[in-house]
Amino acid sequence: MSDTGTTSPGTGTSTGTGSPRVIEQRGLYFDELEEGVVYAHRPGRTVTETDNVLFTTMTMNTQALHLDAAWSAGQPFGQRLMNSMFTLATVVGQSVPQLTQGTIIAQLGLTDVSFPRPLYHGDTLYTETVVTAKRLSASRPGQGIVTMQHTGRNQHGDVVALAARSCLMWTREAHAAAELEAAQKGTIET
């Protein structure tokens, strides 16, 4: 079964051009996010030694706990740990396709970040997000502030990362109007 038009960006409406309908992957709009719902992000991400060494050296973090296997073997965990900033970035990143891809305006901040257990080479990281609060912006019509609690777990279900995140998000109607206005001004192609 095919549709008779293409979908306008951000709107999900058909343009009636006779082309097949196009559905672009996106996150959820402010109006679609529900407080208290657990959004389970899949697939998980099996983390590797290469991930750890590249991220650690790329960010100029010379912590031996991430780079020196011999030294780390004599430390309390007995092996190298995944860089916690890599873990945090991956936890946030795993939520993007489902929650914020194309629907976020800005990340406003991260708070209450903790790493209750270490993540090791070869572990698989799974992330869940709960929307803990949302409100329309008083100063930015058509936009809202969403607070999320991200929880990263390893393959055994152990919590390895927690973070509260605040984002400025579009409402569906305001985003469609902004895209239409930009297209009419010639600043984006449709």
Side-chain angles (χ1 to χ4, degrees), residues 54-82:
L54 287 176
F55 186 89
T56 297
T57 56
M58 186 171 47
T59 58
M60 300 179 67
N61 178 345
T62 59
Q63 176 53 254
L65 277 171
H66 308 310
L67 297 172
D68 188 330
W71 182 82
S72 296
Q75 297 307 303
F77 292 107
Q79 62 180 301
R80 287 173 291 167
L81 309 178
M82 288 300 294

Side-chain angles (χ1 to χ4, degrees), residues 56-146:
T56 297
T57 56
M58 186 171 47
T59 58
M60 300 179 67
N61 178 345
T62 59
Q63 176 53 254
L65 277 171
H66 308 310
L67 297 172
D68 188 330
W71 182 82
S72 296
Q75 297 307 303
F77 292 107
Q79 62 180 301
R80 287 173 291 167
L81 309 178
M82 288 300 294
N83 186 312
S84 59
M85 294 297 98
F86 174 86
T87 304
L88 177 61
T90 305
V91 163
V92 171
Q94 286 181 309
S95 74
V96 169
Q98 189 174 13
L99 298 181
T100 62
Q101 177 66 45
T103 57
I104 189 173
I105 297 162
Q107 178 164 283
L108 301 176
L110 292 162
T111 61
D112 304 317
V113 176
S114 64
F115 305 97
R117 292 193 175 192
L119 194 63
Y120 301 109
H121 301 160
D123 280 349
T124 300
L125 180 61
Y126 295 96
T127 298
E128 297 172 350
T129 301
V130 175
V131 174
T132 57
K134 61 183 254 189
R135 68 173 176 81
L136 288 169
S137 172
S139 61
R140 300 178 69 100
Q143 300 172 12
I145 297 170
V146 177

